[in-house]
Amino acid sequence: MPSRPMGSLAVIDWTIVATYLVATLLVGAWVSRSAGRSLESYFVADRSLPWWWLGTSMAATTFAADTPLVVAGLVAKHGVAGNWLWWSWAISHVSVAVVFAALWRRSRVLTDAELIELRYTGRSGAWLRGFKAAFFAILINAIILGWVVRAMVKIAAPFVDWQALLGAGAVETFATVWPAALLVGTPNDTITVLVLFGVIGAYSSLGGIRGVILTDLVQFVMALAGGALFAWFAIEHVGGMQGLREGLAQHYDAEALLSFVPAQDAAWLPVHVFLIYIAVQWWAQYYSDGSGYLAQRVFAARDERHAVGGALWFVVLNYAVRTWPWVLVALVALLVFPLGTAGEGVAAVVAADREMAYPVLMAQLLPAGALGLLFASLLAAFMSTVDTHLNWGASYLTHDLYRRFVDPGASQARLVWISRLSVMLLTAMGVVVASRIDSIEQAWRFFIALGAGLGLPSMLRWFWWRANAWTEIAGIVAAVTSAMVLYPLFPDARPEHLLVAIVAIATTSALVATFLTPPVPRDHLAAFTRRVRPPGWWQDLPGAAPKMALGWLGAAWLAGNAGVFALMFGIGYLLLGPRAKGAVLALSGLFLLWATLRASKRFRLASGLRDA
């Protein structure tokens, strides 16, 4: 197949992209009336959505535009096993599916920040709710949006030339009028960002969470289809799977490159660091219990059964299914652009930045139409991440800040208006932050430090009566303080080592604060346990699940983790060989996932969480 020059999109490609963008706007307009009925309609779709909508939406949101580029870089540096840097999060997501999804749904809150005052009481609870809402809605959302925008610019730059589309004069006029301080890269890149954010802000503000999830369904199908189509063209370019295996064997240590588990002597991932990933990292971050956009999807479920099914469906899509098209393209890139060779032109671009192998191969290997589909799918991945963070952030600003502290008696119509205004304000903030992203690296480290202090407290509040607001407050303060000290003192230390130190300090501080401060009043705890019926240690409070529920919980968790990894590796072996081993693992994974659903149902029944 002849190589395609960088930046050449045919008319059919632009037609596909334009059709997709118009369709997203139409979806937002279509559901705007139902979204505007009330705050529950706008942010949780009246708690009426089925499991497959929710799980697919979670997967679409988790897949950002930079993800396939990152995978290309990881495989080039560390082989297939390099993906453990993100595969390890599957343990946390299985925990959300089998443990927390039903509890979140039963809580009937509108945001995860609202749970704080459902679980805790007093000024400390109110302060913590307001702080977390502001922190995540503004600072964390700004940082995430900024990084995602930078990744999208990296992908779009080779393909989108506004001088060709609008004329050189129009672009020059824009560059003159637009403030230089708010440029996102070049004027060309800035126009791309403004167009995309304009479309996203419009349909997100109109359609609320229902519009976001409906577009997520389309976006995920496009992303998966585009990625699979690209993988097929890439594999055919090197002579099929047989040609890929033979080519890798000629140029590399194919056994090490294709291994799904890092070697014991791998310098990039020593055994003790690997153990940190699977034993500490998954529960140490603030979203260990599903807090954030995953919980927001769970709130919209029809009942606990759909909440659990949707969360488990997300794990399967995110890890077992979506991994392999990216990995196959990354392996092809190692043959088309071998490691250790500089080359000229696009080869030099890839040699300097292995992540660029993905967009470079897109331009070289895909014919007209297929290229437009894949480019639109990457736009879809970008937009599904941004629209979720806009809606999620707006829920905090409206429900946890404005409604809670400014105007508790606001009408539903006014709250929906505030919600739509919040989406547009966050959209503008995303553009501004993207232009300044290089200056907030320390804020990103602050976010990581905060997460390390919230993991255990976020889980304890569901299981232990003694946890109180000061448990979380002490964890936050200790994590941030220790990070500000440890990062400058040990600039060359591995992030994983610093993570363990911060987690140890924050966890100790949280537990000490718990025992030095009064517990939550028993009547407030009783209201929480009657509503949520949590498992664990609750001093015989009314509604708390019996201890036997923990057994089913553990069985579901073990079966879920084994099932997801067995299915993921089974699909990998079916593609890369040996296929008999792949078939056994894949079938075992499907059986274990079925067993997970059964054990999870028994856990809900033992806990009193019936599917209602």
Side-chain angles (χ1 to χ4, degrees):
M1 181 181 299
S3 294
R4 172 189 295 274
M6 292 290 285
S8 56
L9 287 180
V11 173
I12 187 174
D13 299 322
W14 282 116
T15 302
I16 292 172
V17 171
T19 301
Y20 161 70
L21 293 177
V22 171
T24 58
L25 286 173
L26 293 176
V27 168
W30 178 46
V31 300
S32 61
R33 178 172 296 182
S34 61
R37 287 197 301 259
S38 67
L39 212 58
E40 281 223 346
S41 296
Y42 195 82
F43 286 123
V44 293
D46 295 315
R47 307 187 195 277
S48 62
L49 301 185
W51 62 271
W52 61 274
W53 279 38
L54 303 175
T56 305
S57 176
M58 292 177 193
T61 296
T62 307
F63 168 26
D66 62 329
T67 312
L69 280 71
V70 172
V71 171
L74 289 174
V75 172
K77 293 178 182 177
H78 310 303
V80 176
N83 289 284
W84 274 103
L85 292 173
W86 65 282
W87 283 348
S88 58
W89 292 113
I91 304 172
S92 176
H93 290 143
V94 169
S95 302
V96 173
V98 302
V99 180
F100 299 110
L103 302 178
W104 276 118
R105 178 60 180 81
R106 176 63 67 166
S107 71
R108 300 193 302 279
V109 294
L110 202 68
T111 67
D112 55 337
E114 183 185 353
L115 182 82
I116 293 170
E117 288 195 288
L118 179 66
R119 175 63 176 82
Y120 310 133
T121 189
R123 291 183 178 179
S124 58
W127 180 89
L128 182 61
R129 176 182 179 180
F131 168 77
K132 290 181 72 173
F135 186 88
F136 288 108
I138 299 172
L139 181 58
I140 299 306
N141 252 344
I143 296 169
I144 293 172
L145 290 174
W147 282 110
V148 170
V149 167
R150 282 294 183 182
M152 191 63 235
V153 165
K154 192 174 183 178
I155 292 171
F159 300 101
V160 180
D161 182 359
W162 289 103
Q163 288 193 8
L165 294 171
L166 302 178
V171 175
E172 290 176 4
T173 301
F174 171 81
T176 302
V177 175
W178 187 257
L182 296 181
L183 284 175
V184 184
T186 67
N188 188 81
D189 297 334
T190 305
I191 296 174
T192 301
V193 170
L194 291 176
V195 170
L196 291 177
F197 264 77
V199 173
I200 297 169
Y203 77 74
S204 297
S205 63
L206 286 171
I209 192 64
R210 189 184 297 272
V212 168
I213 291 178
L214 275 173
T215 54
D216 278 352
L217 298 181
V218 177
Q219 288 161 349
F220 181 81
V221 171
M222 288 181 60
L224 187 61
L229 184 65
F230 185 18
W232 184 82
F233 275 105
I235 292 296
E236 287 299 302
H237 181 72
V238 295
M241 293 301 301
Q242 184 67 26
L244 176 65
R245 287 190 292 265
E246 292 176 354
L248 293 174
Q250 290 176 4
H251 291 85
Y252 308 99
D253 180 355
E255 182 177 352
L257 180 67
L258 298 177
S259 175
F260 299 161
V261 180
Q264 293 185 359
D265 59 348
W268 69 274
L269 190 59
V271 173
H272 73 281
V273 175
F274 181 72
L275 292 176
I276 290 173
Y277 284 155
I278 63 175
V280 178
Q281 180 178 264
W282 67 269
W283 60 262
Q285 298 299 322
Y286 81 91
Y287 39 76
S288 57
D289 68 340
S291 296
Y293 64 85
L294 296 184
Q296 189 189 33
R297 298 303 192 274
V298 169
F299 301 153
R302 290 176 181 172
D303 52 37
E304 288 90 347
R305 180 172 60 89
H306 283 273
V308 172
L312 193 60
W313 177 235
F314 152 64
V315 183
V316 171
L317 288 179
N318 194 55
Y319 296 96
V321 176
R322 204 167 54 188
T323 288
W324 298 109
W326 299 335
V327 169
L328 292 177
V329 172
L331 292 173
V332 170
L334 290 175
L335 291 185
V336 179
F337 305 108
L339 295 176
T341 58
E344 298 179 356
V346 293
V349 172
V350 175
D353 182 0
R354 293 299 309 191
E355 292 184 359
M356 284 300 295
Y358 199 87
V360 166
L361 282 179
M362 283 173 55
Q364 286 198 331
L365 302 184
L366 294 179
L371 180 61
L373 175 62
L374 184 58
F375 184 66
S377 75
L378 292 174
L379 289 179
F382 164 75
M383 294 169 70
S384 66
T385 300
V386 173
D387 62 24
T388 286
H389 283 278
L390 293 178
N391 186 273
W392 174 44
S395 71
Y396 288 140
L397 295 179
T398 305
H399 186 58
D400 299 299
L401 293 178
Y402 182 83
R403 187 184 200 183
R404 172 64 179 83
F405 297 104
V406 178
D407 188 3
S411 66
Q412 290 296 315
R414 182 170 183 80
L415 290 172
V416 171
W417 183 85
I418 293 293
S419 302
R420 287 175 167 152
L421 177 62
S422 297
V423 169
M424 300 311 296
L425 290 175
L426 289 172
T427 301
M429 180 190 71
V431 176
V432 172
V433 172
S435 67
R436 311 301 299 169
I437 193 67
D438 293 337
S439 66
I440 59 174
E441 181 179 350
Q442 293 304 316
W444 181 253
R445 290 188 175 188
F446 179 68
F447 163 56
I448 296 173
L450 173 63
L454 284 179
L456 186 62
S458 294
M459 300 178 79
L460 284 178
R461 64 188 180 185
W462 296 102
F463 293 99
W464 189 33
W465 70 276
R466 193 61 179 80
N468 59 30
W470 290 104
T471 309
E472 296 195 33
I473 294 170
I476 295 171
V477 173
V480 173
T481 303
S482 58
M484 292 175 66
V485 172
L486 292 176
Y487 274 106
L489 279 180
F490 304 99
D492 298 325
R494 288 192 66 134
E496 297 86 359
H497 296 162
L498 293 178
L499 172 68
V500 171
I502 293 170
V503 167
I505 295 170
T507 299
T508 302
S509 302
L511 292 176
V512 170
T514 300
F515 288 108
L516 290 179
T517 54
V520 176
R522 187 174 176 84
D523 59 341
H524 191 86
L525 283 177
F528 174 78
T529 55
R530 280 194 295 264
R531 185 164 175 172
V532 178
R533 301 174 192 168
W537 297 268
W538 293 97
Q539 290 197 325
D540 299 320
L541 285 165
K547 294 294 189 298
M548 65 173 293
L550 289 172
W552 288 112
L553 182 92
W557 185 80
L558 291 172
N561 279 290
V564 167
F565 283 109
L567 182 59
M568 180 174 71
F569 293 147
I571 294 173
Y573 282 121
L574 285 171
L575 292 169
L576 298 170
R579 291 182 174 175
K581 184 177 182 179
V584 171
L585 279 173
L587 291 174
S588 300
L590 291 173
F591 172 77
L592 286 165
L593 290 171
W594 173 82
T596 301
L597 290 173
R598 298 294 298 175
S600 180
K601 181 178 181 180
R602 296 301 297 267
F603 161 62
R604 297 199 307 278
L605 292 175
S607 302
L609 296 174
R610 300 184 183 276
D611 299 326

